[in-house]
Amino acid sequence: MELRTDASDVAGELTRHDQQDGTSMTGDVPAPLEDGCTDEQRDAIRAYARREWITRQERWPGI
């Protein structure tokens, strides 16, 4: 459980950054996590981070 929480916390920081700076490559940025968020919200944040990672790897292999 702790690893999932850490992953969603990092992914939450990514969404905050992408919302503030407009740096999303895939669009559809989920809302940042708040205290008391649901598992579904954490899942959405992690799915967004995966989409961003895969897209960046496809566009710029080796980075």
Side-chain angles (χ1 to χ4, degrees), residues 11-24 29 32 48 56:
E13 291 301 315
L14 171 67
T15 61
R16 279 186 192 86
H17 177 270
D18 284 353
Q19 284 180 334
Q20 289 175 346
D21 297 334
T23 53
S24 173
V29 181
Y48 171 74
R56 289 172 196 269

Side-chain angles (χ1 to χ4, degrees), residues 30-50:
L33 297 175
E34 301 290 335
D35 288 338
C37 62
T38 66
D39 286 340
E40 291 80 21
Q41 290 168 315
R42 287 187 177 278
D43 290 344
I45 291 282
R46 287 190 299 269
Y48 171 74
R50 279 191 301 274

Side-chain angles (χ1 to χ4, degrees), residues 26-30 44 46-56:
T26 61
D28 196 25
V29 181
R46 287 190 299 269
Y48 171 74
R50 279 191 301 274
R51 282 194 316 269
E52 287 290 306
W53 174 256
I54 290 167
T55 301
R56 289 172 196 269

